[in-house]
Each structure stands twice: as structure tokens, then as C-alpha cells.
Amino acid sequence: MKRFKLISLTAVSLVALASTASTALAAEPIKVGIIAEMTGAFADFGQQMTTGAKAYMKEHGDTVAGRKIELIIRDVGGPAPDVSKRLAQELVVKDNVDFLAGFGLTPNALAVAPIATEAKKPTIIMNAATSIITTKSPYMTRVSMTLPQVTSPLGDWAYKNGIRTVYTAVADYGPGYDAEAAFKKSFTAAGGEIVGSVRMPLTNPDYGPFVQRIKDTKPDAAFVFVPAGESAVGFMKAYAERGLKAAGIKLIATGDMTDDGVIDALGDNAVGVITTHHYSAAHDSPENRAFIAAYAAIDPTHRPNFMAVGGYDAMALIYSVVRQLNGVMDPDKAMAIIRGAKLLSPRGPIMIDPETHDITQNVYVREVKRVDGKLYNVEFATISMVKDPGKEASK
Ligand code: PHB
């Protein structure tokens, strides 16, 4: 009798313990570990991505399915794959995050793929855009773009618009190689000729000599990919100083060259530049207006660019997953929701391809124009729901 009593008491206390544990669990926030370039030459990447993420939370509240959402932001500095990997390990082991996110630069994203896989952490790329990244882990997805996706349509556009000879100039790392290959493929398939190609350093580049070589070759146009921000400003300065515009050599590029974060600093040299990309602050939609207003409520001094949209949409995806899982996280169920997910983004409709878990989206052809005194990428043509052609090529 005595023994029975003891057992039942233990059972009661176990039940009590279990319910305390589940209350504690319900009260625990969902943690999103963001690894981003917050300092150094690429600091605007981190600023844009994290402000975009915060803008989503400001607009939609910080609680989903009864769970608070908490951002844990870690600075990776510049291109530093070892640091990125260490930060991911710490976020997983010490902070026990539910998601990993961020990554402006490709090497920082690639370094984290093995950790995403081993720890089964849904990992959302907010910018890094080399095609191969999402093939490196079944737990990685991307809400930004791939370079082949945004570049391929430009090769077609260039030939259709009378450009016959092009010199390609790209940053000497993954996204640059992807952009170079995709441009060559679509432009030569249309009938165009590549008359020269050069790869330029990612860090501390002096663009002058490269731009001079382009000028000496006298192509109809230069196709350029450099990372957004300081690199783009530097390239545009060299293009102007060496007189390429005056020599009649057109500049065509991915939208990284004329991103909204720096476009006003490019000045009149940028007017008339044609680019292809997935986001422009000038995109006319209610979703984009709401995004710009939410961003301005946090940072009224900067214009949001495509990286900010990546941060915003990463949070939209995370909120949708947490809502559908009713606040109970499970990595495999999360990835099942992410594959095939559809969102109405500030850039237009987006979808995560169920097969590749990479992004499918509209690509827009744009021209830099002055609107009310300020420079904007004005969209004038849309190629609907483009999949990453880089995945097709590597099959
Ligand atoms: C990248 O490293 O993948 C990257 C960085 C900046 C861009 C685009 C791609 O503007």
C-alpha cells in the first residue's frame, strides 16, 4: 500500500514536471541565427539584410503561433568562410537556434552547408547568389537570386537590341564565374560575339587597368558583374574616368551594379545603364510600398535594396513555416513546407522550387533614369517566373 502511494506520487510529480517543461518550451522563443557582413568593405550587405528582416517583424509583429521570434545577429566581417563556419557552429550548439539565415557573400554561405546538413538546420540564404550553393545541403534554401537566373535574359536582350560584340568583366569568384558563363551562353546562342573576358579581384580592386583594356578592344558593350555597393561605385568611377561612355561603349550589367543602396552615389554616369535583376525600389506594387514604409520606419536614411528584400522575405518564409507548424519546430517538416512555398514579395511573386529548393521569380529588364530628381532602376520588361538555369546546366 505504502509502495503504491509512492509510485503514484512519483507519477503525479512526473506529470507536473512534464507540464512545466512544455510551458517552458512554449515560452522559449524561436531563434533565428543571422550570419552577416556587418563591418568592413561589405558592411552594407549586413545592414541591408538585417534591417530588411527587422522591417518584416515590425510590420507583422514578433510573435507567431504563440512563439516569440528572436534574431541573433553575428558579424562575419568580410569574405571569411572559416569565421562563418565557426559562427554557425556556435549558433547551433550554444544558442540552440531553430534557423540559420543571412550570408551576403558566397564563400560565407558555402562554408555553412555541412553544418546545416549535420545539425538539420533550415538555412535561408538572404543574398549569396552562386548557383551551386543550394545543392550543397538539403536544408539550404534561398530567397535572393542566382547569377545565371538574372544574367541569362540580358544576353538575349543585348542581341535583340543591336549589340553584336561584348567584353565581359566579372569579379573573380563564384558569382562572377556564373555570370560570365550565363552571359556568354545566352548572348552567343542569340548570335553575338564575345571579344574579350577578364576577371577582377574581389577585394581591393583597382578597376582602371581592366576598364582601359575594355576601351582598347572597342566592343559594342561591356557586360559587368561586380558585387553591389562599394565595388559597383568603384567600377562606375573607372568607367567614367576612362571615358568609355564618351567612346560609345555601352555598359550592361546585373542589377548589382546599380543597386538601390548606392545608385544615387553613381551619379549621371549611370543614367541609361541597362540591367537585369529581381528587385527595384521603383517596382510598383502595394507589397513594395508596404516594404519601403516598414524599412523607412527603422532606417529612414537609406533606401532598401535587393539584399533588404532578401532579409524581409527570409522572415516571411520563417513566419509561414512557424505558423504552419503551429509553433512546434521540426526541421524536416519545415523543409517540406519550404519546398514549393509561394510568397507575394515586394519584388513580385516568388516560389521555392520543390525539386531544387532554390528560388523561381520574375526577372526585370530596367533602365537607370531620374525620377523626381533621384536615380532609379525603372523596370520596362518582365521575364516571368525564371528558374535558375545554372541548375539545368549542371545536371
Ligand atoms: C555573392 O557573393 O554571392 C554576391 C555578393 C554580392 C552581390 C551578388 C552576389 O551583389
Side-chain angles (χ1 to χ4, degrees), residues 45 104-107 127-130 145 147 173 175 225-228 256 306-307:
F45 292 17
L105 290 160
T106 286
N127 182 63
T130 303
M145 55 148 173
L147 261 308
Y173 78 127
F225 165 78
V226 290
D256 307 86
F306 62 97
M307 296 192 195

Side-chain angles (χ1 to χ4, degrees), residues 16-313:
L17 243 178
S19 82
T20 326
S22 72
T23 322
L25 195 71
E28 274 280 293
I30 297 270
K31 294 180 189 166
V32 182
I34 297 184
I35 297 174
E37 299 78 6
M38 304 300 294
T39 52
F42 300 98
D44 53 325
F45 292 17
Q47 296 304 331
Q48 288 277 356
M49 292 188 295
T50 56
T51 308
K54 289 176 192 165
Y56 188 86
M57 296 176 74
K58 185 157 183 91
E59 196 184 337
H60 296 88
D62 65 359
T63 306
V64 188
R67 310 261 327 248
K68 249 195 172 341
I69 309 288
E70 185 189 320
L71 302 184
I72 304 178
I73 298 170
R74 296 282 182 259
D75 178 18
V76 65
D82 292 347
V83 179
S84 187
K85 192 169 183 181
R86 177 172 55 74
L87 292 174
Q89 263 153 351
E90 285 173 9
L91 285 164
V92 167
V93 175
K94 288 197 196 146
D95 298 294
N96 198 19
V97 296
D98 298 285
F99 293 90
L100 288 168
F103 312 104
L105 290 160
T106 286
N108 296 339
L110 280 176
V112 166
I115 295 169
T117 306
E118 275 164 39
K120 296 186 172 228
K121 287 296 163 201
T123 299
I124 304 176
I125 311 290
M126 293 175 171
N127 182 63
T130 303
S131 176
I132 204 167
I133 295 171
T134 46
T135 69
K136 296 295 182 190
S137 171
Y139 291 91
M140 274 186 156
T141 186
R142 171 157 43 199
V143 290
S144 50
M145 55 148 173
T146 79
L147 261 308
Q149 181 180 52
V150 297
T151 304
S152 289
L154 187 58
D156 299 330
W157 182 90
Y159 192 84
K160 282 194 192 118
N161 287 275
I163 294 171
R164 293 292 175 265
T165 56
V166 167
Y167 198 111
T168 67
V170 300
D172 191 4
Y173 78 127
Y177 309 153
D178 270 8
E180 182 190 86
F183 186 85
K184 281 186 178 170
K185 193 170 176 205
S186 66
F187 184 59
T188 57
E193 189 191 347
I194 303 292
V195 291
S197 291
V198 71
R199 293 173 174 183
M200 308 172 290
L202 172 64
T203 45
N204 305 316
D206 171 9
Y207 292 116
F210 300 111
V211 169
Q212 187 62 45
R213 255 195 263 170
I214 299 173
K215 188 179 180 190
D216 295 344
T217 310
K218 300 189 175 74
D220 292 341
F223 163 73
V224 183
F225 165 78
V226 290
E230 280 187 15
S231 314
V233 174
F235 188 93
M236 189 64 89
K237 196 164 167 271
Y239 174 82
E241 279 171 4
R242 303 263 169 168
L244 271 74
K245 195 172 185 178
I249 300 169
K250 292 191 185 73
L251 179 57
I252 55 176
T254 61
D256 307 86
M257 175 64 76
T258 59
D259 94 81
D260 284 289
V262 298
I263 193 167
D264 262 324
L266 300 177
D268 278 333
N269 296 309
V271 171
V273 171
I274 301 289
T275 59
T276 41
H277 227 210
H278 54 299
Y279 176 71
S280 163
H283 185 73
D284 188 18
S285 72
E287 293 77 24
N288 192 34
R289 280 189 287 277
F291 161 67
I292 288 174
Y295 191 97
I298 297 177
D299 179 358
T301 57
H302 293 101
R303 194 194 293 179
N305 72 1
F306 62 97
M307 296 192 195
V309 175
Y312 185 88
D313 286 339

